[in-house]
Amino acid sequence: MSFSNRFQGLRSLCQKYPFLYRFVCSPTILVYSDELPENIPNNSVMILPPRDYWAIQAVLNVKTAKEAATFGPALFDLGDEYRYAAQKTGKNSYSLIAYNPAEISHKLHAFPHTAVIEKFTFAQWVFADEEHPIRLDNGKILTTIEGVVIEIDSDYLHINGAIGINEALAKPRFFIQSIPVEQLSSPTLTSKTVKKTLFILILILGNLTAHTVLNYQEMGRLDSLKEEVLDHDKLPETSFERDALTRSLQKKEAGQLRLREQFLHISDLSIHATLPTNVNTPSQTVTPSSAPVEGVVLIPGSNPGEPNRLLVNGSSNIPTPSLLVFQGEGIDEIVYDGKNIKILLNASENKVKEDLKKAIMKPFKKAKISEHGNQLEVWIP
């Protein structure tokens, strides 16, 4: 069954119910390219004659016309400028078309009154099922031989029963397969297109040139600025040396920050101490002077070995022993070897030792504490 005969039942339904004709079964408006009327209706589809394309009938084991069109290059053996289309005419039966889009585009633009033409089709897809030969005004005949529509001279065919092209086009034809004109691409360049293209290229070239010059000037300015910075700050000239110096400074800064944090924790240790029982607290009573004394003055009568007693604005000051001893004992030594902190603590009572251990392990989880008699040795990494 041919492509058009498949819709015979639908056409019969439209004829039986006229209200469907306009909305469902509107026939395609067709014009023949060699017999164009003066006024072409809108939405018309132009029929190309057989000389504008190549056509064959083929049996292919594919399901769709799109798949069948892919066999076009092998079946026609034409140049690369050709395109291929197919129409399914039966089970595994296809009508294949090969056409040159440049030639068709040139032909369409040769008719100034064909601007309303938005689609085109082929005589093969329209007249293949026509029962009668079609007589053209130029004396040629369209007829079908072995399923292919051809155009021959009327002298080679008995034309009794032939119909005119206008009569053939007047027959309502539904669901005609066509190709949009916009899919045609013409390789011909007009002078207007060349001028526009040249103008755009000149703009792009000028933009690239200006961009290159500005980049060159900016690079020169940055190089000069870099030299000034290197000379002013006495930095190494190579980036490797500068990076190494930066990493070294960053490492030292991180180490110093960590050491300060550790000593801050040490200073915050909750060590509550009192004076030893055998230590006499020096008298802090000072006979006030009759004359006002300003500044910092050593109290007369201070002996070597005694706590440093100062007279500040008329009052004496003695360092508080509770910050130095823990029950008469306390920190004996603090040593930093560059990596670890070593602390020696004096503590005679076991309870005092346990309290010290808890106080140290709270901020320093990785501290190592060892006992040596009445002394605790603490290593803080």
Side-chain angles (χ1 to χ4, degrees), residues 326 347-358:
F326 187 96
S348 58
E349 298 181 5
N350 291 332
K351 185 178 182 305
V352 176
K353 292 179 182 179
E354 294 302 324
D355 292 341
L356 285 174
K357 289 180 181 180
K358 292 180 181 179

Side-chain angles (χ1 to χ4, degrees), residues 281-288 299-300 309 311 314-318:
T281 304
S283 175
Q284 300 184 24
T285 304
V286 179
T287 303
I299 297 178
R309 303 193 305 170
L311 185 65
S315 63
S316 63
N317 176 275
I318 302 176

Side-chain angles (χ1 to χ4, degrees), residues 2-4 32 46-58 76 85-89 93-98 121-130 134 142-151 173 176-177:
S2 67
F3 179 79
S4 59
Y32 197 69
M46 178 177 285
I47 303 173
L48 298 177
R51 63 176 177 273
D52 291 340
Y53 62 89
W54 297 88
I56 61 173
Q57 293 288 338
F76 287 98
Q87 182 188 75
K88 191 170 186 177
T89 57
S93 178
Y94 297 90
S95 174
L96 272 76
I97 300 293
T121 187
F122 308 97
Q124 176 66 34
W125 290 354
V126 179
F127 302 126
D129 298 327
E130 182 61 49
I134 301 174
L142 290 179
T143 187
T144 303
I145 299 179
E146 296 182 356
V148 177
V149 176
I150 61 174
E151 180 182 304
R173 301 179 186 274
I176 297 298
Q177 186 173 342

Side-chain angles (χ1 to χ4, degrees), residues 212-246:
T212 302
V213 172
L214 292 176
N215 283 344
Y216 181 79
Q217 293 176 350
E218 183 66 15
M219 290 174 62
R221 189 185 69 82
L222 292 177
D223 288 339
S224 301
L225 181 61
K226 183 181 71 174
E227 294 296 333
E228 293 178 2
V229 172
L230 293 177
D231 293 340
H232 180 269
D233 295 336
K234 305 301 181 182
L235 295 175
E237 295 184 359
T238 63
S239 60
F240 295 103
E241 294 175 340
R242 291 195 297 272
D243 292 342
L245 179 60
T246 302

